[in-house]
Amino acid sequence: MAALKGEVKAFIVQSLACFDTPSQVVELVKKEFGLSITRQQVESHDPTKANGRGLAQKWVELFHETRKRFQTELSDIPIANKAYRLRALDRMMARAEGMKNMALAASLMEQAAKEVGDAYSNKQKVEHTSPDGSMSPRPTTIRLVGVDPANGKPS
């Protein structure tokens, strides 16, 4: 097992702290740094696992700081933002329409409507209280208007 530079170790520790699996981290390290490492080597950088028992204190602290920040700062995660999700759904829906996949497009449109709050339905709120706040029903008033049969206008 080759020794890793501090930059690579920090990347591995932070990726694990953000709940990436060891297999995902192996792929990310290969893509980011061009290094081939094993899953076992990645697991040795996770202080929550048995393989990570001997991890240096600075990496343990980095892991826990990153994990805490990851769990409390949702704004750093794009998909946690409603506008981001809606834009992504819009792109997917446009592509589905372009592929003539109307069932998928309709499903994506429904998902987007749910995202903004049941906008896809024709649900209406019904007021069950009177203007004064009591539960007494409002009286129904019917006003009859006479119509002149000759010209069809009200008399």
Side-chain angles (χ1 to χ4, degrees):
M1 221 174 8
L4 300 174
K5 293 182 181 177
E7 179 184 11
V8 178
K9 286 183 180 183
F11 182 85
I12 293 170
V13 168
Q14 289 177 317
S15 295
L16 291 169
C18 292
F19 299 101
D20 288 342
T21 66
S23 297
Q24 290 172 319
V25 177
V26 167
E27 292 298 317
L28 290 170
V29 168
K30 181 143 183 97
K31 183 178 176 184
E32 191 76 22
F33 300 100
L35 297 173
S36 293
I37 58 174
T38 65
R39 285 193 331 267
Q40 291 77 15
Q41 196 172 6
V42 169
E43 287 175 354
S44 70
H45 290 80
D46 187 344
T48 65
K49 304 287 190 237
N51 287 348
R53 275 190 311 257
L55 192 60
Q57 187 59 35
K58 75 175 192 176
W59 300 122
V60 172
E61 289 172 6
L62 177 63
F63 179 91
H64 290 296
E65 288 170 14
T66 303
R67 169 97 18 121
K68 182 178 178 184
R69 190 171 146 254
F70 180 77
Q71 291 177 321
T72 58
E73 294 184 13
L74 289 177
S75 63
D76 289 350
I77 305 169
I79 202 163
N81 184 302
K82 182 190 279 190
Y84 174 87
R85 291 190 304 270
L86 287 170
R87 286 184 65 210
L89 286 168
D90 183 57
R91 286 191 304 269
M92 288 186 271
M93 197 279 304
R95 192 162 187 195
E97 264 187 332
M99 294 172 18
K100 306 277 189 251
N101 188 343
M102 295 305 151
L104 177 59
S107 172
L108 291 166
M109 288 170 47
E110 180 178 352
Q111 180 66 33
K114 287 178 181 178
E115 190 69 46
V116 295
D118 284 340
Y120 71 98
S121 69
N122 62 354
K123 294 179 184 174
Q124 298 177 0
K125 289 188 177 184
V126 177
E127 186 64 45
H128 292 290
T129 59
S130 58
D132 65 358
S134 69
M135 292 300 290
S136 59
R138 296 180 187 164
T140 303
T141 306
I142 300 174
R143 186 173 152 231
L144 299 175
V145 179
V147 177
D148 185 0
N151 60 15
K153 294 184 180 179
S155 54

